[in-house]
Amino acid sequence: MGNGYHSKILKVNLTEEKIMIDEKEDKFYRKYLGGPGIAAYYALKEIPQGADPLGPENALIITNSVVTGSPAPGVMRYSVSAKSPLTGAFGTSEAGGWWGPRFKKAGYDGVIIKGQAAEPTYLFVSDEEVSLKTAENLWGKTTKEVEEILQDRHGSRARVLQIGPGGENQVTYANICNDLAHFNGRNGMGAVMGSKNLKAIVAKGQQDVPCSDEQSVKDIMKWVGKNVHDHPLTSGLHETGTAGGITSVNAGGALPTNNWKENYFSDAEQIGSDALEEILINRTGCFGCPIRCKRVVEYEDEDYKIDPEYGGPEYETLGAIGSNCGFNDIKLVSKANELCNKYTIDTISFGMTLSFAMHCYEEGLLTKEDTGGFELEFGNGDVLLPLIEQTAKQEGFGKKLALGSARLAKEIGEEAKPFLRVTKNQEVPMHDPRVKTGLGLQFALSSYGGDHWVAQHDPFFTEEDSLGTQAIKPLGILEEVPAVDLSADKIRFFYYTNLLTSVYDCLGTCVFSVIARGILPLDKFMDLVEGVTGWNTSLWELMKVGERTENLMRLFNIREGFSAEDDKLPEHFFKDIKGGPHDGEKALDKEEFEAAIKQYYQMAGWDEDGKPLKAKLKELALHDEFKEIVEEYL
């Protein structure tokens, strides 16, 4: 056992009801760190090529990092990974909250779950016990009901990771919940969990995570606590949460509206942070984090009640279910957020799939008969809550929405494809690559489909004296980079910050706590890693872990049949913006964008087809470990 980790990963076979421990050496943790780094390693080892994502051969891989659970700020996140039922590619999703540290404190760095339980089951993990227990009385219940039952059974210190009916019914974009308001939201990890008849994982660890220099880590924590509310970005996150982005993004002409038909929502203020403030009752946060960016909302009238136990909506939810579907009622969108949390439904993919269906309805490709009587008009609030219910239960038109927009488009026909906003079959989040081109590279090159935190966001680096430009200089990025740019400088910026963000994920680090989005600069971040692990490490070494992880995920996807043809943006983004201050401009040049992708391949050490060169894999010490896969697929 090293400092920061236990050298033990649980392996659970639900079919055989067997629990084993995989012990790893120190160098394994230094090579992969945790999160998607360790997960991608095990995915290539444990998931056979061509595995059915919802079959027993898929592996649900849950991983902490070498710093998770330590008394350090902003490193509470854990990853859930598997072959995604939404994309068919490597799937991974990070979440904060309290479950990850509590699991780590039980003495394990992760758990790999394969097979399928004969009946509904949950896994209990504590300092003294690891066991499978019946979940017969939990199946079909909502997240709050399950949380109450399991905490009553195992004590209030127990933390519950679980799926709701959306996961049980294998909605392709079902997510996984902890503490009712923290989610592994993307890639359908909840559907994988549901396919295994696994309802929950209860963690009740109370051990201290070993720490090399606890005083230095506490000093960093004190420094963050002292300065967090003076930092312009973290203080803003505390005050308004991510909801503050709605009105500012709208003012910048980049808020997706009515399935991205327009980039300006005239009612944005009605779903922004000021409107949310009217029903806000509290600000909360995650383990060890003083920023407290999470919202808690409550409301009750004759129409419906909003339960504060489920937290409150984030920017992505307000955009995907709000403006992008034409809904301008903050209470309605907040109630929709509650239902998605109650049933474990990803709000981005649901909102985007609904807006896609609305667009098809508007164009006459779907009729009222097709939708089961629902009039899918943008802004028709009467359809929203019933369709979330139907989707979670796989009933009525909800069965179609549960497919995700890419599969629904195939059922409708070729005429529907122009209205899709997906990459690698995953719905893109609420950021327009025509006004920040780095997001276009993120959407196209992410191994797990449309995602907005594969690298850092352009606007933080557009001015010489900005916090982002100054903080990123240790990477060798010494000058500002325009937000709308596809030059070699932008591609290099994306490449370097992609690796840095991958390091953040591998270390379970929330991007809101570190540069460029948060308070913690790279030198203190390195001090934190060294303080926990005791390693004489460097930013160079950690960046190589990020690069190793990106190449492992790429290798997994190549094995599953993905290629350079999948590194594309929806055609929509090669058309001019409509609405707002950029009306009639900003279309990406398709040839220039495709050339940027090819240049990225060269920077990454990949060939023209986007395959890692064998020399690159040797440089990353991956070639021999995965020699059979390399020889067969590269």
Side-chain angles (χ1 to χ4, degrees), residues 326-340:
F327 299 133
N328 62 2
D329 182 346
I330 190 64
K331 300 178 184 68
L332 175 65
V333 177
S334 295
K335 182 63 180 181
N337 178 75
E338 178 201 307
L339 288 184
C340 287

Side-chain angles (χ1 to χ4, degrees), residues 287-604:
F287 175 89
C289 183
I291 298 173
R292 299 179 70 80
C293 68
K294 304 289 285 184
R295 310 292 93 175
V296 180
V297 299
E298 184 176 29
Y299 181 76
E300 184 174 4
D301 67 6
E302 63 275 9
D303 294 323
Y304 43 72
K305 174 183 178 180
I306 300 174
D307 189 342
E309 294 290 332
Y310 291 102
E314 304 275 0
Y315 166 83
E316 301 296 336
T317 302
L318 295 167
I321 294 181
S323 63
N324 205 40
C325 292
F327 299 133
N328 62 2
D329 182 346
I330 190 64
K331 300 178 184 68
L332 175 65
V333 177
S334 295
K335 182 63 180 181
N337 178 75
E338 178 201 307
L339 288 184
C340 287
N341 294 359
K342 182 178 180 179
Y343 296 129
T344 57
I345 297 291
D346 176 41
T347 56
I348 298 176
S349 281
F350 173 80
M352 286 288 288
T353 302
L354 178 58
S355 69
F356 164 76
M358 287 174 159
H359 204 157
C360 290
Y361 187 87
E362 182 178 77
E363 295 291 328
L365 302 180
L366 287 173
T367 67
K368 196 171 179 180
E369 183 178 355
D370 296 323
T371 65
F374 288 107
E375 295 182 358
L376 295 189
E377 298 169 342
F378 288 111
N380 179 12
D382 292 339
V383 307
L384 179 57
L385 304 183
L387 283 175
I388 294 175
E389 297 269 0
Q390 283 197 1
T391 299
K393 297 173 183 177
Q394 292 267 22
E395 297 174 349
F397 187 65
K399 282 186 179 181
K400 301 297 184 184
L401 295 178
L403 295 170
S405 56
R407 286 182 175 85
L408 179 55
K410 287 183 179 180
E411 290 203 359
I412 295 172
E414 287 293 320
E415 304 95 329
K417 286 186 177 180
F419 312 131
L420 277 178
R421 318 287 183 243
V422 300
T423 62
K424 296 182 180 71
N425 283 354
Q426 178 162 258
E427 292 76 15
V428 300
M430 304 293 102
H431 304 269
D432 197 313
R434 293 170 292 186
V435 297
K436 41 184 179 177
T437 51
L439 268 293
L441 296 172
Q442 291 196 45
F443 291 172
L445 287 164
S446 167
S447 292
Y448 32 93
D451 190 273
H452 60 294
W453 274 115
V454 177
Q456 298 295 300
H457 284 222
D458 312 57
F460 298 114
F461 306 91
T462 59
E463 298 177 5
E464 183 178 2
D465 59 351
S466 69
L467 291 172
T469 304
Q470 294 302 312
I472 208 73
K473 286 185 176 180
L475 297 189
I477 300 172
L478 305 180
E479 296 181 350
E480 68 274 18
V481 183
V484 183
D485 179 43
L486 281 172
S487 68
D489 286 342
K490 173 56 69 71
I491 300 163
R492 181 169 71 100
F493 164 82
F494 168 74
Y495 178 43
Y496 287 4
T497 66
N498 172 219
L499 300 186
L500 179 65
T501 307
S502 185
V503 172
Y504 290 160
D505 288 345
C506 290
L507 285 171
T509 307
C510 177
V511 294
F512 289 169
S513 67
V514 287
I515 66 101
R517 191 69 177 90
I519 186 173
L520 204 62
L522 285 174
D523 58 344
K524 287 191 178 294
F525 181 64
M526 292 303 306
D527 289 344
L528 187 155
V529 175
E530 290 189 357
V532 175
T533 64
W535 298 338
N536 179 23
T537 187
S538 65
L539 186 57
W540 164 268
E541 181 184 12
L542 297 189
M543 291 284 279
K544 280 296 171 183
V545 177
E547 187 176 14
R548 192 172 292 122
T549 301
E550 293 300 312
N551 277 270
L552 282 176
M553 293 190 292
R554 188 76 179 187
L555 191 57
F556 183 96
N557 285 358
I558 290 168
R559 191 192 69 171
E560 298 305 312
F562 286 80
S563 70
E565 289 298 310
D566 298 292
D567 296 335
K568 292 184 176 180
L569 281 180
E571 289 294 321
H572 177 75
F573 298 122
F574 301 111
K575 300 176 182 178
D576 285 335
I577 285 172
K578 292 184 179 180
H582 301 304
D583 185 48
E585 58 185 44
K586 296 288 186 182
L588 290 173
D589 182 276
K590 190 171 183 179
E591 289 186 5
E592 184 183 16
F593 187 81
E594 290 175 348
I597 296 290
K598 295 296 184 182
Q599 193 166 100
Y600 170 84
Y601 290 170
Q602 293 176 353
M603 289 186 184

Side-chain angles (χ1 to χ4, degrees), residues 140-157:
K141 287 184 167 54
T142 64
T143 51
K144 183 178 178 179
E145 292 171 331
V146 170
E147 179 103 348
E148 290 173 347
I149 291 170
L150 289 178
Q151 287 199 331
D152 182 62
R153 184 178 300 171
H154 297 291
S156 60
R157 292 180 64 84

Side-chain angles (χ1 to χ4, degrees), residues 253-270:
L255 186 64
T257 301
N258 294 355
N259 197 39
W260 296 75
K261 288 197 301 177
E262 298 178 355
N263 277 50
Y264 184 82
F265 189 46
S266 60
D267 293 332
E269 291 187 359
Q270 297 180 41

